[in-house]
Amino acid sequence: MPILDQEPSKTEGDGDDLPKLPLPNLQDTLDIYLRCVKHLLTKEQFSRTQNIVKQFGVPGGEGELLQRKLVERREKTANWVYDFWLNDMYLNNRLALPVNSSPAMVFPQQNFRLPIDYLRFAAHLLSGVLEYKTLLDAHALPIDYAQGQLAGTPLCMEQYYRLFTSYRLPGPERDTLVAQESTVMPEPEHVIVACKNQFFVLDVVMNFRRLNERDLLTQLDKILKMAENEEERQPPIGLLTSNGRTEWAEARSFLMRESTNRDSLDMIERCLCLVCLDEASGPQLSDTTCAAMMLHGGGAAKNGGNRWYDKPMQFVVGADGCCGVVCEHSPFEGIVLVQCTEYLLKYMTGSPSKLVRAASLSELPAPRRLRWKFLPEIQKLISSSAEKLERLVKNLDMNVHKFYDYGKEFIKKQKMSPDAYVQVALQLAFYRCHGRPVSTYESASIRRFQQGRVDNIRSATPEALAFVKAMTEGKLSSGDTEKMELLQEAINAQTKYTILTITGKAIDNHLLGLREIAQEMKMEKPEIFKDEAYLISNQFILSTSQVPTTVEMFCCYGPVVPNGYGVCYNPQSDHIIFSVSSFHESPLTCSADFVRCLVQGLLDMRDLCNRCKHGSDSAEQRNGQMPEMHSHTKTSDKTPQRKSGQTKSQPASPQVLVRSSEQKIQTKKPS
Ligand code: COA
């Protein structure tokens, strides 16, 4: 298989005719960088950073030298940042994939009444996958066009062609993204079905014909029966893929010593995708439990071993109706994943199952169980992988909240960008919970350019900070008119940064390029990248992403730092779905508190817009008092702040809730 972690190979729909990603001007990036970090640093830190940045940018200095090298690189490559970005974002990351890296889409909960129902669902879904694969093979997917801001430009399609053809191979220091060569003649194709932690090869092309839904059901039924045979059962080897990448690479090299294992690994690495037939997971299903189950499988005792995390697409079908897709993120972004899964769900609702009665009776050869030869080292590594996964399961603090009070139509009526508005609401929520701003990541697509992936909208703008302070610190001087002006300024700043990013002029990819090219040139690391400010600005305590859907489902993922939040949101016309994650082990975070602050902020922002629209800036409101709120969203406690020592059921009323490591919860009284 060719290596994909350098330059992806060319296929039709790659977007060769799209413009190349621009290289921002050095001085512009340095100015924006200073503006982005100033309010996140102390005065002393900032003054030091200012000097370092000035030194880096002096005429004839390090910055200009590195910039010239990037200019040359841009001329020679289709996308100057692609491989730097891929390594930095994914392949160099040693953390375990579940929760830390792999996002998931959660389907609407299914109601399977009979055991056969869930096999039928899986067969129907798989038949949709094969149909979609036919479209991909024929390069028949319509080109995507940008929507929302600067709508209408064509987008690079190459990510789609990696959905079913790539594999993330673990390495001792860096992983490798590998891809199967596309061939003119259709190759025999197979999927891997995971059931009771066993892996089975299901050939989906036989005698040059793709299996139909009926055949697929027959084969899945055989797999279920084979998996039930306890005598044949093999240890839960899939758990190894849930471990840290270096540990998994080590385990894989042990496995590779035996030819049986090499053959089995080869079958998994070359499959189209996995179908994970999960057992019922125990607790009563809710959006939150389903999201957690998709992200980690519930650990070794549940479905955690019924996965192979290196494979980009794992379709999970749970006997209890908890279904979705878990994705290895390095080959593509969530938006491409959504397009594919929406196709599948529409296929399933638009073309009713063709299985009228029982499954096919035709004599298809039985699927094969993958065999493994276990060395004592492997048994130990499976046990340690199980322990690590268990810790991750216990650690994940997931909270999915459907906010029903309004959606993007209300925001559009205020003549504001819904995405910018939600980002400002997230800044308000964080400030309310923690009393300070933090470096924030919002992914923005740069697919307008050749091989474009994403860059970062730094949503913690100084304008957002001014607004959230006015909303939370209850200053006597902040009346509605002033708050509304600050809200407008925050939204404008956010929208401006969005446009900067989607047009390829943001700073994160540029700074990464400068840092990496210095390393490639074997230069000593420039001071700007050793500076504390750079580290602080890259600790994304708030990691956010808009993943909108047109079909009922939602996306979720974990936080990217131990003391942070992962917030994925899906704005709909009249409601917004938020998936908030954090880690229980951090004394600083709590997903339920964050959601409560978020809900309160969204309601406050709506009320502010309504009051200002109706021209009522009464003396009472000028004094910072909130009018009564009416909410459709069920929250146990409208004011989310808690005093130190208070239990969750006791409401409190300060405007800002601060968590610190010394004291689990501190409250900061309104000034
Ligand atoms: N007044 C009224 N309407 C407005 C408006 C305003 N001031 N500003 C925007 N709108 C409208 C837009 O026209 C658009 O309308 P539509 O729903 O009819 O298309 C809608 O509001 C949404 O626009 P907006 O909220 O501004 O955001 P967007 O859709 O342009 O999205 C990003 C912004 C950054 C999320 C998007 O560009 C992007 O990059 N998405 C990909 C993110 C990603 O990669 N996620 C997955 C990571 S794994």
Side-chain angles (χ1 to χ4, degrees):
M1 284 196 259
I3 291 173
L4 245 192
D5 67 348
Q6 298 304 315
E7 283 260 318
S9 61
K10 299 263 170 275
T11 42
E12 203 182 315
D14 261 353
D16 287 355
D17 46 348
L18 294 176
K20 278 189 179 185
L21 181 69
L23 181 66
N25 174 294
L26 178 65
Q27 214 52 56
D28 288 349
T29 291
L30 298 181
D31 291 346
I32 298 171
Y33 173 59
L34 285 177
R35 193 176 143 68
C36 288
V37 296
K38 186 174 179 185
H39 53 292
L40 306 178
L41 303 174
T42 62
K43 272 202 178 114
E44 297 70 44
Q45 281 172 326
F46 183 67
S47 134
R48 193 178 129 76
T49 300
Q50 238 178 342
N51 287 334
I52 293 172
V53 169
K54 194 169 163 201
Q55 194 55 37
F56 183 76
V58 290
E62 260 180 333
E64 286 195 352
L65 169 69
L66 298 173
Q67 179 77 356
R68 272 200 304 281
K69 290 287 167 194
L70 285 183
V71 171
E72 284 168 24
R73 186 184 180 86
R74 183 174 183 271
E75 276 158 21
K76 285 191 233 142
T77 56
N79 182 317
W80 59 270
V81 82
Y82 183 86
D83 44 348
F84 287 155
W85 177 88
L86 187 65
N87 289 337
D88 185 68
M89 189 70 132
Y90 297 112
L91 305 180
N92 289 342
N93 193 339
R94 304 289 78 205
L95 291 178
L97 297 183
V99 180
N100 299 309
S101 176
S102 298
M105 295 299 308
V106 182
F107 293 171
Q109 285 161 36
Q110 302 298 311
N111 182 14
F112 301 134
R113 270 170 298 167
L114 301 170
I116 190 78
D117 286 347
Y118 100 115
L119 291 189
R120 284 176 203 259
F121 183 90
H124 202 184
L125 181 67
L126 191 47
S127 127
V129 169
L130 299 184
E131 187 120 340
Y132 192 75
K133 181 71 174 34
T134 311
L135 283 179
L136 286 171
D137 289 346
H139 285 271
L141 278 189
I143 304 267
D144 290 344
Y145 286 85
Q147 293 176 351
Q149 301 288 343
L150 311 183
T153 38
L155 301 178
C156 178
M157 297 294 288
E158 64 157 25
Q159 293 179 35
Y160 285 95
Y161 297 96
R162 298 195 206 117
L163 280 165
F164 298 103
T165 54
S166 14
Y167 185 81
R168 177 163 166 178
L169 200 62
E173 281 157 21
R174 173 186 291 171
D175 291 359
T176 309
L177 183 56
V178 289
Q180 270 165 269
E181 203 80 75
S182 61
T183 51
V184 182
M185 284 295 290
E187 291 217 352
E189 287 180 331
H190 63 276
V191 304
I192 296 291
V193 179
C195 185
K196 296 186 189 294
N197 303 331
Q198 310 295 292
F199 296 93
F200 299 88
V201 180
L202 167 52
D203 290 313
V204 291
V205 177
M206 283 189 195
N207 301 326
F208 304 102
R209 180 181 73 83
R210 283 218 154 108
L211 263 53
N212 61 29
E213 195 183 327
R214 179 176 292 250
D215 296 329
L216 292 169
L217 177 59
T218 306
Q219 299 299 73
L220 290 174
D221 195 35
K222 285 181 198 162
I223 287 173
L224 193 61
K225 293 197 172 91
M226 288 162 82
E228 271 157 9
N229 180 346
E230 300 219 357
E231 281 166 26
E232 297 259 327
R233 210 165 272 176
Q234 310 254 301
I237 193 153
L239 283 171
L240 294 174
T241 69
S242 72
N243 207 335
R245 301 307 290 168
T246 305
E247 292 84 347
W248 164 218
E250 187 197 353
R252 188 177 178 281
S253 63
F254 278 125
L255 283 174
M256 290 292 281
R257 290 181 192 168
E258 295 290 337
S259 67
T260 314
N261 298 338
R262 283 200 294 277
D263 291 347
S264 294
L265 285 171
D266 181 59
M267 287 315 285
I268 298 180
E269 288 163 16
R270 287 189 302 106
C271 74
L272 295 179
C273 60
L274 260 86
V275 174
C276 307
L277 298 176
D278 273 13
E279 315 229 357
S281 52
Q284 215 188 350
L285 289 192
S286 66
D287 288 330
T288 297
T289 57
C290 267
M293 200 48 63
M294 285 304 134
L295 291 178
H296 54 50
K302 293 185 177 166
N303 298 297
N306 212 37
R307 303 280 184 276
W308 200 272
Y309 280 101
D310 299 355
K311 201 65 202 165
M313 297 290 275
Q314 301 196 78
F315 295 95
V316 176
V317 182
D320 53 3
C322 176
C323 303
V325 200
V326 192
C327 295
E328 198 293 287
H329 209 334
S330 62
F332 47 80
E333 252 64 67
I335 301 300
V336 165
L337 169 67
V338 167
Q339 294 296 320
C340 169
T341 34
E342 290 203 345
Y343 175 94
L344 299 176
L345 291 186
K346 283 177 188 161
Y347 169 89
M348 291 176 78
T349 45
S351 73
S353 173
K354 297 180 184 72
L355 303 165
V356 188
R357 277 181 292 121
S360 151
L361 295 175
S362 65
E363 272 313 309
L364 295 166
R368 329 189 269 298
R369 183 194 299 259
L370 289 180
R371 309 264 165 204
W372 306 96
K373 193 140 189 202
F374 285 95
L375 307 160
E377 292 94 331
I378 294 295
Q379 298 286 6
K380 270 196 231 144
L381 287 166
I382 290 180
S383 306
S384 65
S385 303
E387 278 165 29
K388 272 228 190 115
L389 184 61
E390 199 53 38
R391 187 172 154 198
L392 209 48
V393 169
K394 290 208 176 104
N395 202 1
L396 179 66
D397 177 4
M398 192 77 221
N399 196 311
V400 178
H401 182 83
K402 289 181 173 157
F403 176 80
Y404 281 113
D405 286 78
Y406 60 93
K408 65 178 177 175
E409 285 316 313
F410 168 80
I411 306 170
K412 282 192 203 174
K413 280 197 193 125
Q414 314 311 308
K415 303 200 176 3
M416 293 173 183
S417 145
D419 188 69
Y421 183 101
V422 172
Q423 284 293 330
V424 172
L426 292 172
Q427 290 298 310
L428 178 54
F430 191 90
Y431 196 85
R432 262 204 172 125
C433 273
H434 301 280
R436 67 187 179 112
V438 279
S439 197
T440 305
Y441 185 101
E442 184 197 359
S443 53
S445 173
I446 47 171
R447 282 176 61 210
R448 286 156 213 264
F449 304 102
Q450 281 181 42
Q451 296 176 7
R453 296 290 299 262
V454 287
D455 202 346
N456 178 14
I457 305 171
R458 289 187 165 265
S459 309
T461 61
E463 290 84 355
L465 180 59
F467 169 69
V468 304
K469 279 186 169 171
M471 290 296 278
T472 53
E473 291 183 352
K475 279 194 207 142
L476 291 180
S477 58
S478 299
D480 279 351
T481 310
E482 191 188 334
K483 283 180 188 158
M484 194 62 196
E485 274 170 22
L486 291 171
L487 174 59
Q488 279 291 359
E489 280 167 24
I491 300 254
N492 291 346
Q494 177 69 20
T495 309
K496 207 169 136 197
Y497 206 132
T498 299
I499 290 171
L500 185 90
T501 312
I502 62 179
T503 53
K505 296 182 199 123
I507 65 168
D508 281 57
N509 282 349
H510 191 195
L511 290 171
L512 172 72
L514 293 164
R515 189 189 80 195
E516 291 302 297
I517 203 105
Q519 204 191 348
E520 231 175 59
M521 291 165 69
K522 308 217 172 345
M523 276 169 62
E524 197 193 322
K525 195 185 241 185
E527 206 52 42
I528 186 173
F529 302 120
K530 290 195 262 179
D531 180 23
E532 203 183 358
Y534 183 71
L535 305 179
I536 293 173
S537 73
N538 281 298
Q539 276 281 308
F540 294 112
I541 291 181
L542 205 44
S543 163
T544 72
S545 188
Q546 182 189 147
V547 182
T549 63
T550 62
V551 168
E552 190 195 338
M553 62 174 161
F554 63 89
C555 180
C556 57
Y557 53 79
V560 296
V561 290
N563 56 338
Y565 294 99
V567 183
C568 190
Y569 53 97
N570 179 352
Q572 298 291 313
S573 54
D574 59 353
H575 68 281
I576 310 173
I577 308 172
F578 291 96
S579 312
V580 177
S581 59
S582 61
F583 289 121
H584 287 297
E585 281 176 13
S586 166
L588 302 175
T589 55
C590 169
S591 297
D593 278 352
F594 189 88
V595 165
R596 279 193 285 270
C597 289
L598 179 60
V599 169
Q600 187 186 346
L602 286 165
L603 295 174
D604 290 351
M605 285 165 70
R606 178 200 60 184
D607 292 345
L608 177 68
C609 291
N610 283 343
R611 287 198 305 269
C612 289
K613 201 161 64 192
H614 299 126
S616 68
D617 194 0
S618 67
E620 185 189 31
Q621 286 151 15
R622 244 177 267 127
N623 282 343
Q625 289 174 15
M626 296 287 168
E628 205 178 319
M629 292 180 297
H630 299 283
S631 166
H632 295 282
T633 305
K634 279 189 202 152
T635 45
S636 54
D637 170 6
K638 279 182 190 167
T639 46
Q641 302 82 7
R642 285 189 275 133
K643 284 188 182 165
S644 182
Q646 261 183 329
T647 62
K648 288 194 180 189
S649 57
Q650 291 172 298
S653 58
Q655 285 291 312
V656 183
L657 171 84
V658 185
R659 283 168 171 270
S660 77
S661 48
E662 299 82 48
Q663 192 183 7
K664 181 144 177 155
I665 302 167
Q666 285 185 339
T667 49
K668 189 174 163 192
K669 295 247 177 175
S671 48

